[in-house]
Every structure is written in structure tokens, then in C-alpha cells.
Amino acid sequence: MTSLDSVLDKDGVRLVVDDAVATVTLANPAKRNAQSPALWRALAEAGRALPGTVRVVVLRGEGQSFSAGLDRQAFTPEGFDGEPSFIDMARGPETELDATIAEYQEAFTWWRRNDIVSIAAVQGHAIGAGFQLALACDLRIAAEDVQFAMRETSLGLVPDLTGTHPLVNLVGYARALEICATGRYVHAEEAERTGLVNLVVPADQLEEAARDLAAALLAAPRDAVVETKALLGGAASRTYEEQRTAERAAQGRRLRDLAGVTD
């Protein structure tokens, strides 16, 4: 019997932990899970609140859309209640603006921690900040109706919520530039063909597919997955010889651990 615990439920974000699997849900379907600074703070809090037993985190959105992106209220003079408007932030000191954006980015950075594997289960619209949130995860499963788009450039802005690095890594510079500069939709067939998503399934099978992938990820010993993720995550920044060295060091740690050798 598993233990199902609600850890957090605030500002459009719900975190539920079921033994080794945590589920983070964007829970404002009436607004197509549009994002706001309050939601970003709640996402960052969800990352900090994960129990140490969690190995896999599934990210999903309630309703027909994963996330329609930034709530357009951010661009109005009044902004969000209790929040400085984006217009006011732009008129303030550059150092404060940089610090504020860095705080917003924290909602998007913890998904690639080595101690967890994150899966985005994406249906319907994943626009702008929604696209970047899906890109923040290690793996992506998409429904057949998915529509990814990076619309920031169309608004005179740039993608600034950590999405550019994984996008280039996944589809290459030229395609990433074209996707961002045109703001066009990327549909399921192209997303799977280009490696943007790992798997495409019918919409009514999305949650089941995410559960199956989570179960498969839990089949291997945790430490082996953690070490492998760290190896793969750093491979792009290492030379071939540096990667060989990292592999030997990681394997040495695993073998000593399995043999019960302590330093």
C-alpha cells in the first residue's frame, strides 16, 4: 500500500507525493494554467518541499492545456495584486530587474537535479513559459493534440525562463532559432521526430504513459540512475577524454558501493 500525501496546494500549484513519485500539477484550468510570479514562487517551493524519498517527479497540467504561458495581466499597468507590474520593474534599476528575473527562474531550475528524474506530461497548449516549463524537465511525453510555441519574440521579448539551453540541445541551433523567431507551433509529429519529446500518445493515455515511464525509471537502483544522470548531464561540456575519466570515476564509486567498501 502506498502513502499518498498532499504536500503543497497554493497559487495554482499542487504537489502530491506517493512514495518515490511526486506529482506537480498546474491547477488553474479555467485560465489554461497561465503563469504568474506567485505560481513561479509556488513551483520553487514545491522543489524545496520534495521529501528525500522522491526519485521521480511528474509535471502535469489540469484541463485541456498544459500551460498557455505567462498571464497577460503581467503586461497591464496594474499587474497582479500585491506584485510590482512588469512595467514598473522595467523602469527600476537594472540590478533589481536582473535579481527579479533570477528569482523567477528558480521555478524552472530544480527539475534537472541529479537526485530526481522529471517527466513533463504535456497536452494541448504549451506556450512561452509553458513551453519552457516542459523544457525544464528531463523527459517529455506529449499528447497527440500538443502545440508547443515560443511566443516571447513576437511580444518583443526573449525566452528568459531557462528554456533556450535545453531547446538548442534537443533540436539544434538552427531549428531552435526558427522556432523562437517565428513563434510558430510545433505539433506532436515534429516534436517526436526532432527529439523534443520522448513519446507521443493519445490524449486519454497521457497520464497512464507518465505512470508507466515513472515505474520504469524506478526499476533501476537509485544511485546508479543518479550517477548516470550526472554523467550524461555533463557530457556536452566535457571533452571525450574528460568524459572517459568521469565514467571511470563514477563506475569506481558504484563498484566500491556495491562491494561495501568505505573510504
Side-chain angles (χ1 to χ4, degrees):
M1 180 69 70
T2 60
S3 60
L4 192 66
D5 298 312
S6 179
V7 178
L8 181 145
D9 191 351
K10 63 188 294 188
D11 296 320
V13 174
R14 184 166 60 248
L15 168 61
V16 175
V17 175
D18 187 358
D19 288 346
V21 179
T23 301
V24 177
T25 301
L26 305 179
N28 189 5
K31 298 195 75 171
R32 295 193 300 167
N33 299 314
Q35 299 181 30
S36 66
L39 180 141
W40 293 332
R41 285 193 291 271
L43 282 175
E45 183 177 343
R48 293 190 296 270
L50 287 180
T53 54
V54 169
R55 294 181 55 189
V56 176
V57 181
V58 177
L59 171 64
R60 59 181 295 275
E62 280 187 356
Q64 295 183 335
S65 292
F66 176 74
S67 174
L70 180 63
D71 191 323
R72 294 299 181 91
Q73 189 174 335
F75 298 105
T76 63
E78 62 274 12
F80 301 100
D81 290 343
E83 304 274 358
S85 72
F86 281 21
I87 294 172
D88 289 340
M89 289 193 304
R91 290 171 176 162
E94 287 187 19
T95 54
E96 291 184 11
L97 179 58
D98 182 80
T100 299
I101 296 173
E103 179 188 353
Y104 295 162
Q105 288 176 331
E106 291 178 8
F108 297 76
T109 56
W110 62 266
W111 304 90
R112 290 180 180 260
R113 283 169 21 191
N114 284 340
D115 61 319
I116 60 171
V117 178
S118 54
I119 305 167
V122 189
Q123 81 283 4
H125 292 95
I127 310 298
F131 191 4
Q132 294 188 77
L133 188 55
L135 287 167
C137 292
D138 295 306
L139 309 172
R140 280 154 297 284
I141 299 175
E144 292 174 335
D145 66 349
V146 75
Q147 298 182 68
F148 294 106
M150 203 73 84
R151 291 292 176 83
E152 286 82 353
T153 308
S154 306
L155 298 172
L157 302 170
V158 301
D160 67 334
L161 296 171
T162 78
T164 57
H165 190 276
L167 182 62
V168 171
N169 283 345
L170 288 165
V171 304
Y173 162 77
R175 190 180 295 269
L177 175 60
E178 181 251 332
I179 288 171
C180 292
T182 64
R184 70 172 176 86
Y185 286 116
V186 178
H187 298 280
E189 186 278 330
E190 180 185 356
E192 186 172 33
R193 173 169 47 84
T194 59
L196 188 58
V197 302
N198 300 82
L199 178 68
V200 172
V201 298
D204 61 358
Q205 297 177 22
L206 185 61
E207 291 195 23
E208 180 182 0
R211 286 195 300 269
D212 288 346
L213 180 54
L217 292 166
L218 292 174
R222 180 172 196 162
D223 288 345
V225 175
V226 170
E227 290 276 13
T228 301
K229 182 176 177 180
L231 271 175
L232 296 174
S237 63
R238 300 188 188 107
T239 66
Y240 179 77
E241 290 301 325
E242 288 170 342
Q243 185 69 2
R244 287 181 62 205
T245 301
E247 287 177 359
R248 293 197 302 270
Q251 192 71 303
R253 287 191 294 271
R254 295 302 312 127
L255 289 170
R256 287 193 298 273
D257 183 64
L258 291 173
V261 176
T262 58
D263 295 329

